[in-house]
Amino acid sequence: MNRIPTLAAGHAAVDFYQGAVPALVPFLVAQRGYGYVAASGIVLAATLSSSIVQPLFGVLTDRWRMPWLIPVSTVLAGAGVAAGGLSGSYALTWLAVALSGLGVAAYHPESARLARIASAGGHVRMSWFSLGGTLGFACAPVLVTPLLAVGGLEASPFLVVPAVAGALATLPAVRALTGGTRAAKAAPVARGRDDWAAFARLTLVIVFRSVVYVGLSAFVALLMGGGAAGAVALFVLFAGGAVGTVLGGRLAARYGRVRTMRMAYVLAVPAVAGVVLVPGPAAYVFVAASSIALYTPFSLHVTLGQDMLPNRVGTAGGVTLGLAVSVGGLASPLVGAVAEASSLRTALACLIVFPVLAWLLARTIKEPEPLPAAEPA
């Protein structure tokens, strides 16, 4: 039985809380009087705890199989955000949001391993698993904002509902894929040589991609004029990501992962340039094209990393899904500084160089031998 839809639903439930934190911030500012520094600190708590800690969970899941982390971490991610809306103390709010990020970090390495088993090595199925996370992140503002607009921060306990639903939904798939407690606790068997040099290059490719996408998501609404025009730009950006995630799996099945990755970054260069240089409504077309191009290799990064580190699948998932993806957020303040010193359009023009760098580095990466579809018990 195909377990990918169930795992994708769980992935959506967890990544929902990555998008929920930015949606929570305006209400913290309005009801508690947080300034920009305090508000950015809340977002930083979620980002740092979910990205930096994630490879550590990858190392742990490489040594011990911990499928119980999947439902537990899902609930933890939801409980942290729900508690963050209730706590009146800034310190407690910061800790609650950091706890949510910890849940997100704990979820991804083990879930990526199980998704690889469930997908039987298929790129299309793996792209559907990645799509779940993309949709969860994109749906968060749509659900969180109306709820808190009506009920205020006092309604934040309801935000734990997606986490509980996601945890319950994934339990049957987790039990089926782990084959029972004995198999779940078994240590992995060595299966080839880990190519750390290739994995390091792939990690840099993901970082370059992250800088571009995070920069666009942070400032494209302002570039388009804010208000309704900015909201449409963000919707187009998120929707394009969903399309690109599925498209990447299908193209990889036909042309190969590395070739698809290279083509995507080549197309991202004129697409990002169009966002910056083309005025008026036509810019929306380039926003969509940029998002599709940047998300086409998203799920392929995960499987490439796992194949490059066949004995460190959890570590590969932790880096490709967590650390390298989130590092781009650290570059956003630099983009903002350039915008203040010159203009927003000039600052975003600097992003054009990063898909070029990603393409050049991707040319040095070769297609690794794929891992077996399932791990030996």
Side-chain angles (χ1 to χ4, degrees):
M1 181 178 178
N2 185 8
R3 303 289 180 178
I4 285 294
T6 304
L7 293 176
H11 196 186
V14 168
D15 281 7
F16 172 87
Y17 295 101
Q18 294 197 75
V21 173
L24 183 68
V25 165
F27 296 93
L28 294 174
V29 172
Q31 294 189 32
R32 298 183 186 171
Y34 289 175
Y36 289 120
V37 174
S40 62
I42 296 296
V43 177
L44 188 63
T47 302
L48 290 180
S49 61
S50 65
S51 60
I52 293 178
V53 181
Q54 199 163 141
L56 299 180
F57 280 104
V59 172
L60 291 175
T61 57
D62 282 331
R63 187 167 184 179
W64 300 287
R65 294 302 178 232
M66 297 185 287
W68 54 268
L69 267 180
I70 293 178
V72 170
S73 60
T74 303
V75 173
L76 187 64
V81 169
L86 289 180
S87 173
S89 163
Y90 180 82
L92 291 178
T93 299
W94 194 96
L95 288 174
V97 172
L99 191 68
S100 175
L102 192 65
V104 172
Y107 173 85
H108 282 100
E110 184 71 1
S111 68
R113 183 183 70 86
L114 292 186
R116 181 57 183 253
I117 297 172
S119 67
H123 306 315
V124 175
R125 287 186 176 184
M126 196 65 178
S127 70
W128 283 107
F129 169 73
S130 299
L131 176 64
T134 304
L135 292 179
F137 182 87
C139 288
V142 178
L143 299 177
V144 173
T145 301
L147 173 67
L148 299 187
V150 173
L153 291 174
E154 293 75 15
S156 60
F158 290 104
L159 295 176
V160 80
V161 172
V164 175
L168 293 175
T170 54
L171 277 176
V174 170
R175 290 187 62 84
L177 292 170
T178 54
T181 306
R182 188 175 179 180
K185 291 182 178 179
V189 178
R191 295 171 296 162
R193 185 178 64 88
D194 293 330
D195 191 345
W196 287 100
F199 184 74
R201 294 194 296 272
L202 176 67
T203 300
L204 279 177
V205 169
I206 300 172
V207 169
F208 293 147
R209 177 253 177 212
S210 176
V211 171
V212 182
Y213 187 79
V214 174
L216 287 178
S217 61
F219 297 106
V220 72
L222 294 175
L223 181 69
M224 299 302 292
V232 171
L234 284 176
F235 174 79
V236 170
L237 190 72
F238 292 150
V243 172
T245 301
V246 176
L247 182 63
R250 297 190 176 277
L251 290 176
R254 182 169 183 177
Y255 300 108
R257 292 172 294 179
V258 172
R259 186 179 179 188
T260 299
M261 178 174 64
R262 293 171 182 169
M263 290 190 299
Y265 287 122
V266 166
L267 295 175
V269 176
V272 175
V275 174
V276 179
L277 302 176
V278 175
Y284 290 112
V285 176
F286 290 97
V287 171
S290 297
S291 185
I292 292 172
L294 292 171
Y295 259 95
T296 292
F298 183 67
S299 65
L300 310 183
H301 293 152
V302 180
T303 58
L304 281 170
Q306 291 173 332
D307 289 344
M308 290 171 179
L309 302 183
N311 303 307
R312 299 288 185 272
V313 173
T315 301
V319 173
T320 55
L321 280 172
L323 180 63
V325 172
S326 301
V327 161
L330 301 180
S332 293
L334 297 178
V335 177
V338 174
E340 289 186 358
S342 53
S343 70
L344 181 58
R345 198 170 294 275
T346 300
L348 292 181
C350 297
L351 298 178
I352 300 173
V353 71
F354 288 97
V356 176
L357 294 174
W359 172 71
L360 290 173
L361 202 54
R363 287 174 57 85
T364 69
I365 296 175
K366 297 180 180 179
E367 188 80 33
E369 289 295 325
L371 290 178
E375 300 178 346

